[in-house]
Amino acid sequence: SHSSDDDVTTTHDANGHRRNPVPSLEGFGTGVAKAEAEAATVDTNGAHETGLAAAAAAATAVIGSGYWIAEDGDSYNLAAFDQTNGAWPIGQPLPLPKWSNRSAAPYVVEKLWQYEEMIGLIETKLQRMLEETHYNTANNFVDFYRTYRAAVAASTAPSRGQHGTEDLKTHFHQYTIPINRRHHMCVSLGMEIVSRIAEHYPDIGRLLYLVSCEEALDESVSYIEHCEENGIELAGSSLEKEHALVAMKILVGGREGVLILDPGYHVARAVTVMKDQKYPHTGWFTQSDEPHCKREYSYGFHELNDNYITWTERMTRGAKQQYEQSLVYIGCPYRTAIDVTVRRNLVYNFRSLLSRDAKGRVCAGLYFPVVPNPLDAQVTLFYDGPLENQVKQKFKFSLFKDAEMIPDPVLRHLDNLAPQLRMELGELVDLMVDLAASIHDVDFVRQVLEINNDINELSADN
């Protein structure tokens, strides 16, 4: 990475192109700062609820009643989530991640039953949200493709017979990422659950914050040492931060811990991580138990540094067990969840649209790898059949090139799948046709895979 400040800027990318800045919370003035100060200084004698409610009221008075949700009702108030753009040095495949310089205040309760009551309220909201939302990296892929093709067309000068000169890397740098309440991935699911909780429990909502996660680490100790050596932001050039979730620090009867919400991985429980690993510490739980594979998760404070939560996944296939470890950084709120994490996922080589039930079971959807050769491109559709069986079918994308030419047997599968995705058949057919167009564009796919590969190399040592 480059040490000179001349190389980086939050509003221009490496090629000098202007990037649209994400609004920061700072513009809202002292009312919010005052509210946060009040929230941070509440005492532990049961007065926390009043103090936090007052803090939330003060913040809402400054910002307006739709604090977390944008005025259009279809997106989020990114300033409320303190989102911003990261600097983007020349040669970096992604912007650099940023964190707030303040740590979050804890949710304080004296009695266990008070904490259990709060968990019950949150889990009700979480489970309903899982049921009502999808995990969706299909629509944002189509949006990204469409805007790229439009940019190429705009850069074409027919009078001189020139072809479009816009390359995908440039477009990737300039692209303003659409975030809405319809097409969710991990970041907007995190924003959605915070918004839903805050709507009814503003005192809790103010204490929830977005956190970043580095997945599938080879080794956690050297990763933490690398991050902490000069501060996590200075390690940013080697961090991928491909996942985001929600955290809230807790103090239960004087014992420290953290609450974790991970709707992006369909986790249907509010996970409690206590430093002493005693109740209400969640420990191991079964995330999914399918005939071919059982997945169990466990979250715990890392023994080296309690700013990091170790998320361990245990996969059991027959007699074989496999473990994977990821690290969640809870030290400070994560400010580039959109600019880094969502942007990173735009060029990931696996896309999906998934419907979940209230328990976090993935019950219907579609998924596909992004492959270099369009002739090899296939999509898997799956849904619950009439006899409590799961139907799973793989089709070549070439079947979806023309909406009028989709074979009847394939159309029947789409017709069965659509209601389980709460979509009209026509809407699902349109999506399949759009996906086929993007996946059959050899030039686009080649560049997507190149950028994805560059990002993988960036974090290869982690």
Side-chain angles (χ1 to χ4, degrees):
S1 70
H2 300 263
S3 55
S4 164
D5 286 341
D6 298 339
D7 292 333
V8 298
T9 164
T10 54
T11 53
H12 290 75
D13 70 18
N15 302 317
H17 298 292
R18 184 153 183 82
R19 298 173 62 217
N20 291 334
V22 177
S24 160
L25 192 62
E26 289 157 7
F28 284 112
T30 55
V32 174
K34 176 175 176 288
E36 288 182 342
E38 284 181 39
T41 54
V42 291
D43 65 33
T44 59
N45 300 323
H48 65 283
E49 289 183 21
T50 329
L52 289 170
T60 306
V62 175
I63 297 169
S65 57
Y67 181 49
W68 303 98
I69 304 295
E71 283 180 14
D72 62 6
D74 186 42
S75 52
Y76 302 94
N77 176 0
L78 300 184
F81 289 96
D82 199 19
Q83 290 300 291
T84 188
N85 279 342
W88 203 330
I90 292 169
Q92 270 299 111
L94 280 173
L96 300 180
K98 285 179 78 115
W99 285 267
S100 172
N101 54 15
R102 60 174 182 85
S103 61
Y107 178 82
V108 184
V109 286
E110 278 305 307
K111 306 289 184 195
L112 263 175
W113 66 262
Q114 294 172 300
Y115 181 73
E116 289 167 338
E117 195 172 66
M118 187 265 296
I119 287 291
L121 298 172
I122 286 180
E123 285 191 345
T124 303
K125 292 274 178 206
L126 176 64
Q127 290 172 6
R128 178 171 288 185
M129 189 196 84
L130 286 177
E131 213 168 15
E132 291 175 353
T133 57
H134 298 134
Y135 180 87
N136 184 350
T137 58
N139 280 88
N140 66 357
F141 193 67
V142 167
D143 291 342
F144 184 50
Y145 173 67
R146 277 186 180 152
T147 56
Y148 169 63
R149 276 288 148 226
V152 170
S155 69
T156 304
S159 59
R160 293 198 295 272
Q162 289 179 344
H163 289 296
T165 54
E166 172 100 345
D167 71 324
L168 189 65
K169 208 169 270 189
T170 304
H171 183 67
F172 185 60
H173 276 244
Q174 291 177 303
Y175 189 53
T176 302
I177 297 165
I179 294 287
N180 61 53
R181 299 181 73 192
R182 288 165 287 115
H183 305 145
H184 287 292
M185 48 167 289
C186 61
V187 171
S188 60
L189 285 167
M191 291 178 171
E192 183 67 23
I193 191 59
V194 171
S195 305
R196 289 187 182 209
I197 292 167
E199 185 184 358
H200 290 98
Y201 315 110
D203 57 328
I204 297 172
R206 298 290 300 164
L207 298 177
L208 293 164
Y209 59 104
L210 292 174
V211 291
S212 59
C213 177
E214 197 87 16
E215 294 181 4
L217 290 169
D218 295 334
E219 204 272 314
S220 64
V221 172
S222 58
Y223 174 87
I224 291 175
E225 286 171 347
H226 170 61
C227 288
E228 294 298 314
E229 190 178 5
N230 299 304
I232 192 165
E233 283 197 2
L234 289 175
S237 61
S238 63
L239 304 182
E240 189 175 345
K241 292 299 178 187
E242 64 268 56
H243 182 47
L245 50 164
V246 174
M248 179 171 74
K249 292 182 178 177
I250 56 174
L251 202 58
V252 182
R255 297 159 54 221
E256 289 181 65
V258 66
L259 172 78
I260 296 284
L261 302 174
D262 192 357
Y265 270 92
H266 330 305
V267 177
R269 63 176 72 207
V271 177
T272 302
V273 189
M274 299 302 292
K275 281 190 183 173
D276 61 13
Q277 296 191 16
K278 292 178 180 159
Y279 187 84
H281 184 75
T282 301
W284 283 102
F285 62 93
T286 301
Q287 171 58 22
S288 63
D289 195 356
E290 303 294 333
H292 63 286
C293 179
K294 180 180 183 180
R295 288 179 191 272
E296 297 163 285
Y297 291 169
S298 170
Y299 298 78
F301 281 90
H302 196 281
E303 62 273 10
L304 189 70
N305 188 314
D306 57 18
N307 281 327
Y308 296 83
I309 297 293
T310 305
W311 165 28
T312 309
E313 179 180 7
R314 178 166 62 207
M315 286 159 286
T316 307
R317 291 182 174 89
K320 190 183 169 201
Q321 282 196 338
Q322 187 184 345
Y323 287 83
E324 194 168 273
Q325 211 171 69
S326 303
L327 279 181
V328 181
Y329 177 68
I330 60 162
C332 291
Y334 181 40
R335 300 190 66 207
T336 49
I338 295 171
D339 197 34
V340 174
T341 302
V342 181
R343 193 179 300 276
R344 191 273 165 266
N345 277 278
L346 278 177
V347 291
Y348 189 55
N349 63 349
F350 189 84
R351 322 301 300 179
S352 59
L353 167 56
L354 309 171
S355 151
R356 298 85 59 89
D357 68 13
K359 294 298 178 191
R361 175 179 163 259
V362 177
C363 33
L366 59 94
Y367 57 85
F368 60 94
V370 180
V371 294
N373 184 355
L375 297 174
D376 298 334
Q378 293 185 316
V379 59
T380 301
L381 309 180
F382 68 99
Y383 55 88
D384 285 337
L387 306 170
E388 293 193 6
N389 58 322
Q390 186 152 83
V391 178
K392 189 182 275 191
Q393 289 285 326
K394 193 179 277 190
F395 299 108
K396 285 200 177 297
F397 260 116
S398 52
L399 293 172
F400 303 101
K401 274 187 171 176
D402 183 342
E404 304 299 317
M405 302 292 287
I406 298 172
D408 283 347
V410 180
L411 210 51
R412 276 198 292 277
H413 283 295
L414 292 178
D415 200 23
N416 292 334
L417 172 60
Q420 294 187 29
L421 288 172
R422 288 188 302 286
M423 293 171 81
E424 297 295 327
L425 175 60
E427 193 186 353
L428 182 54
V429 168
D430 287 348
L431 175 62
M432 298 307 296
V433 171
D434 289 341
L435 286 171
S438 59
I439 221 77
H440 285 134
D441 188 323
V442 181
D443 184 50
F444 171 72
V445 167
R446 175 185 57 78
Q447 294 181 85
V448 164
L449 294 175
E450 278 174 11
I451 298 170
N452 183 57
N453 196 49
D454 289 346
I455 296 169
N456 287 339
E457 285 179 10
L458 155 105
S459 62
D461 293 335
N462 291 340

